[in-house]
Amino acid sequence: MEEEEKGGGEVVEILIETVNKIASISDYRCTVKKQYFYLARRLKLLIPMLEEIRDSKDSIIPQQTLKALVLLKQALDSAKDLLIFGCEGSKIYLVLEREQIMNKYHEVTAKLEQALSGISYEGLDISDEVKEQVELVLAQFRRAKGRVDATDVELYEDLLSLYNKTNDSASDLAVLRRISEKLQLMGIADLTQESLALHEMVAATGGDPGERIEKMSMLLKKIKDFVQTENPNLDAPQREKNLPPSGSGQAIVDGSHQMPVIPDDFRCPISLELMKDPVIVSTGQTYERSCIEKWLGAGHDTCPKTQQKLTSTAPTPNYVLRSLIAQWCEANGIEPPKRPSSSGTSKTVSTCSPAERTKIEILLHKLTSGCLEDQRSAAGEIRLLAKHNADNRVAIAQAGAIPLLVGLLSTPDPHIQEHAITALLNLSICEDNKGSIVSAGAVPGIVHVLKKGSMEARENAAATLFSLSVVDENKVTIGFLGAIPPLVTLLSEGTQRGKKDAATALFNLCIFQGNKGKAVRAGVVPTLMCLLTETGGGMVDEALAILAILASHPEGKATIGAAEAVPVLVEVIRNGSPRNRENAAAVLVHLCSGDQKHMVEAQEHGVMGPLVDLAQNGTDRGKRKAQQLLERISRFVEQQNHSEAQTEAHIQQPQPSSMANFGDS
């Protein structure tokens, strides 16, 4: 009976948490706003019942009601997913797939009705008022069953007509105008958000979006082109195609636009284009992978830039530069470049000798033995073999080591576990092995090590997740399989190395929009704020880089604002390193967007002087962010002064005297 009571208490706590998350969703897309708003409002009314069940000390939840509460949990999870999509999902998709969306809505409400109907109040210490409230909610769900609110038929037909067209016509302009106005896709922020929503749907399909989503993306492109044609001075983040071909370190002005210049370090010395897949050759120079492979394939054995002879023709991925490029793209409103799919490229071939291959096979045989000592020594040797030699990484993977090492991640032996996770980390350096490691089901095991392993194993688990997350589709998988909360824990309580490994992994994962909310909900913001203010300041760079990414997400912005970040950010802008001043200003730009409270707070902490200095002496991005803040604060101050002047003029206006009033009477 105690287990039943404990289980019931846990279920109720989860239910309360889920309803609170639903209550925190602030708005919905216009096409589903009414129905989704009413659904969320009804679900909020369940909180008093759940709290009374939780707070009841005397009653044990009956088995039948406990089953109904479990069903309610499943129904609420479905409702939460539905409502989040109604808040963050593609506006175009919500219109064109209206039948599917409404079917899902009715399916969710039916589940909720069924679960609530199964709750018996007998044996539960619930007040009559709360019972009546729940009965009212249940009655509303029953009345809503099968009801379909009127939809905007014209909007649906407009979208459908463009969706099915293969060529453009002059008559489309009026249609595009109606669509952009009704869907509220009139500004660059709205268009970017819609683009991200479609992009996340593509990512959720594993990179195979299907014809319908591809056509929706083409439809969005038509809307975007129309809006930018209608509003040529639209303050849009610059698209990569608009970037100038060379980097002088200054932004180039074109009309009213400031075009961010690609830093020279981010360009391939061969193609002079932004690198998608930067790799290092033996001379230490970095190139775009496809460019250096073409160079080597043409028979060259020297470095194109230095003309030094290459000691090895096997390039190594430059993960640090790839992350910096991704951060720069994020900061400048440019979609991070996608690496070419590895499916069309030839697999790396190992040049290991037959004797070396035989040694690897013997080690793998030991991994499968039941002897812990054999497993421990074999995993340790594989770890060392994969550490420095690229050929070994290929040969070890091709021999079938990856599934065996993944199986050892759950071993209770800490030494075997540590060797296994570190071996996988070393193997993941080889580009071809990344997909094999994820396909072998490694991520849950890596997350297990991240939670339960020794500190060194946890550090290497975080580093492995970073290495795997370089592949875009892996960012989705890793975030979905629960890696973010234990990474936040390691960021909070790890060694200095562990914190840096966790921060690097979190930064890379949060480049994917869908992981930003997960990180915020896992409590990363308070942890980052502690790192910003801790003695020694060894994690300031990493903390600010992650905050700069999270601030662009609504949940991130709200949580950072609530964490009293403004004084800390102002201090960094005043005294920080050039990169940190730039990131602090970027966070502050997001906080002050539409929020006068943070603007006033920044002024009170003396932000104006440091901003003027940053606008004159900062990095290119730092200058732009400082200028944005200065203009925003100046407009706010002007409005305040104008308002105060009007108020003062009204007060000073002569009023009729009492004697004059007496005489008139």
Side-chain angles (χ1 to χ4, degrees), residues 289-541:
R289 180 187 290 275
S290 60
C291 294
I292 194 64
E293 285 179 349
K294 284 179 186 175
W295 171 267
L296 297 171
H300 301 289
D301 61 355
T302 57
C303 171
K305 192 169 183 179
T306 66
Q307 294 304 307
Q308 291 176 273
K309 190 173 179 64
L310 296 171
T311 58
S312 168
T313 57
T316 302
N318 191 335
Y319 296 129
V320 174
L321 183 61
R322 192 180 295 170
S323 280
L324 289 172
I325 291 172
Q327 182 182 1
W328 180 84
C329 290
E330 174 89 18
N332 287 282
I334 300 167
E335 188 172 342
K338 298 287 185 290
R339 294 185 309 110
S341 172
S342 59
S343 58
T345 58
S346 58
K347 289 282 183 181
T348 307
V349 178
S350 170
T351 57
C352 282
S353 67
E356 289 170 321
R357 290 180 182 278
T358 301
K359 179 183 178 182
I360 290 169
E361 287 172 7
I362 292 170
L363 290 174
L364 297 194
H365 180 71
K366 285 186 176 182
L367 281 185
T368 60
S369 74
C371 174
L372 288 180
E373 190 56 46
D374 281 352
Q375 288 182 335
R376 194 177 299 122
S377 64
E381 277 200 69
I382 290 170
R383 166 185 179 171
L384 292 174
L385 283 172
K387 185 173 183 180
H388 297 297
N389 190 300
D391 286 329
N392 284 347
R393 293 179 198 122
V394 177
I396 291 167
Q398 289 176 347
I402 289 173
L404 300 179
L405 291 168
V406 169
L408 294 177
L409 295 176
S410 56
T411 179
D413 186 296
H415 298 293
I416 295 175
Q417 186 184 70
E418 198 172 292
H419 289 324
I421 188 63
T422 312
L424 286 170
L425 168 60
N426 295 337
L427 289 172
S428 74
I429 294 170
C430 173
E431 208 69 9
D432 292 337
N433 289 345
K434 295 184 194 296
S436 302
I437 292 170
V438 174
S439 298
V443 175
I446 297 170
V447 172
H448 170 74
V449 176
L450 191 58
K451 290 177 178 177
K452 306 289 186 182
S454 66
M455 183 52 71
E456 184 177 345
R458 291 171 68 193
E459 291 166 356
N460 289 339
T464 306
L465 290 175
F466 162 66
S467 176
L468 297 176
S469 68
V470 167
V471 180
D472 288 324
E473 52 265 33
N474 290 350
K475 290 180 175 69
V476 183
T477 304
I478 293 167
F480 177 75
L481 291 174
I484 289 175
L487 281 172
V488 173
T489 302
L490 182 61
L491 183 65
S492 172
E493 64 185 31
T495 62
Q496 191 70 2
R497 183 198 150 194
K499 288 178 179 181
K500 286 192 178 290
D501 286 330
T504 312
L506 284 166
F507 173 84
N508 226 27
L509 289 170
C510 288
I511 291 170
F512 172 59
Q513 183 77 359
N515 285 336
K516 294 178 184 177
K518 290 184 176 72
V520 173
R521 291 188 285 275
V524 75
V525 171
T527 300
L528 294 172
M529 292 306 301
C530 288
L531 294 176
L532 278 182
T533 54
E534 72 179 359
T535 307
M539 291 292 295
V540 173
D541 295 7

Side-chain angles (χ1 to χ4, degrees), residues 188 192 196 224 235-244 249-252 257-263 266 274 323-337 507 511 516 545 548-549 552 579 582-583 586 589-590 619-625 628:
I188 197 63
T192 303
L196 286 170
K224 199 171 188 177
D235 184 18
Q238 299 308 307
R239 296 168 296 286
E240 187 178 341
K241 65 182 181 183
N242 286 334
L243 294 173
Q250 296 296 323
I252 293 180
H257 297 305
Q258 276 203 328
M259 297 182 177
V261 175
I262 300 176
F266 295 174
L274 184 68
S323 280
L324 289 172
I325 291 172
Q327 182 182 1
W328 180 84
C329 290
E330 174 89 18
N332 287 282
I334 300 167
E335 188 172 342
F507 173 84
I511 291 170
K516 294 178 184 177
I549 281 187
S552 65
R579 176 56 60 88
E582 166 191 314
N583 278 327
V589 165
H590 286 294
T619 63
D620 291 339
R621 178 179 172 235
K623 288 176 181 178
R624 289 198 305 275
K625 296 299 177 185
Q628 282 178 279

Side-chain angles (χ1 to χ4, degrees), residues 28 59 94 328 524 657:
Y28 300 100
S59 60
L94 285 166
W328 180 84
V524 75
S657 68

